[in-house]
């Protein structure tokens, strides 16, 4: 229940709250969360360039090119440590390309009534064409929390992924 709102329709930069929409679309378009996705070198290069452009230090889950990761683990990597590479791996996989996925994000936002939102990436890193409002984020977060898998993931304190072809003990995120 919305109790109080102030400047709720003022456009602002959503940062990593963007990953809520990334997760929503992934959960709605990937019925088998155990399916493995390969981290493409082209996406790693994209993330590297983004990291350089942002002065380094962007949030990453720790994957490397060629790594095979389940969709479930990519979702946890996206939502717990806010892994920017995980978000873009999912975007490429679900949408067929980043730009196609960003368009899916914009369509879903409009479907949810988030009419003052425009997504330009799946990770939330700054882009002048990437914005939302507090009210629109409320709509998207409320919708996301209706998904039991999403609600479970975002309330997880510590998660250890399945082993990958490059990390035999998996990853642990807190």
């Amino acid at each position: 229940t919305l109790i109080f709102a102030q400047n709720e329709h003022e456009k602002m930069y959503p940062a990593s709250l963007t990953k809520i929409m990334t997760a929503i679309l992934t959960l709605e378009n990937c019925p088998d969360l155990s399916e493995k996705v390969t981290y493409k070198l082209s996406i790693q290069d994209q993330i590297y360039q983004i990291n350089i452009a942002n002065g380094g230090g962007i949030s990453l889950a720790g994957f490397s090119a060629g790594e095979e990761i389940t969709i479930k683990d990519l979702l946890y990597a996206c939502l717990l440590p806010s892994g920017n590479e995980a978000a873009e791996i999912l975007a490429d996989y679900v949408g067929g390309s980043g730009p196609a996925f960003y368009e899916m994000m914009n369509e879903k936002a409009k479907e949810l009534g988030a009419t003052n939102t425009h997504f330009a990436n799946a990770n939330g890193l700054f882009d002048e064409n990437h914005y939302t409002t507090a009210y629109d984020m409320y709509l998207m977060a409320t919708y996301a929390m209706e998904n039991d898998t999403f609600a479970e993931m975002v309330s997880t304190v510590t998660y250890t992924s399945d082993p990958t072809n490059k990390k035999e003990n998996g990853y642990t995120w807190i």
Side-chain angles (χ1 to χ4, degrees):
T1 302
L2 184 60
I3 298 171
F4 175 79
Q6 183 176 358
N7 302 323
E8 68 274 22
H9 298 293
E10 182 179 318
K11 287 183 182 176
M12 61 183 68
Y13 169 55
S16 284
L17 290 176
T18 299
K19 294 177 178 100
I20 293 171
M21 182 60 80
T22 301
I24 289 170
L25 286 173
T26 300
L27 289 167
E28 290 182 349
N29 288 281
C30 297
D32 182 5
L33 300 184
S34 66
E35 189 170 339
K36 289 189 178 185
V37 178
T38 302
Y39 185 13
K40 296 178 183 175
L41 181 59
S42 60
I43 299 171
Q44 181 177 282
D45 289 345
Q46 172 193 357
I47 294 299
Y48 176 78
Q49 293 301 322
I50 291 169
N51 195 26
I52 296 297
N54 283 278
I58 67 169
S59 181
L60 300 168
F63 303 124
S64 58
E67 195 157 8
E68 298 169 359
I69 312 123
T70 66
I71 294 169
K72 177 181 178 182
D73 290 343
L74 285 166
L75 282 164
Y76 273 103
C78 182
L79 296 169
L80 293 186
S82 197
N84 289 303
E85 82 274 44
E88 292 302 328
I89 295 166
L90 289 169
D92 181 73
Y93 179 75
V94 174
S97 73
F101 186 79
Y102 314 151
E103 199 48 48
M104 290 171 66
M105 295 171 78
N106 290 317
E107 289 171 16
K108 186 67 174 185
K110 300 249 181 307
E111 177 187 316
L112 297 176
T115 57
N116 292 311
T117 293
H118 186 268
F119 293 108
N121 60 57
N123 55 53
L125 292 167
F126 181 76
D127 183 302
E128 64 184 31
N129 294 313
H130 192 81
Y131 54 84
T132 191
T133 66
Y135 183 76
D136 284 3
M137 283 311 310
Y138 155 77
L139 294 174
M140 290 180 268
T142 300
Y143 177 80
M145 290 302 286
E146 292 172 1
N147 182 299
D148 292 338
T149 304
F150 179 88
E152 179 183 329
M153 287 179 169
V154 297
S155 54
T156 298
V157 176
T158 302
Y159 177 80
T160 300
S161 74
D162 289 338
T164 72
N165 60 322
K166 294 196 174 201
K167 185 104 172 175
E168 68 181 48
N169 294 319
Y171 295 84
T172 298
W173 301 295
I174 299 170

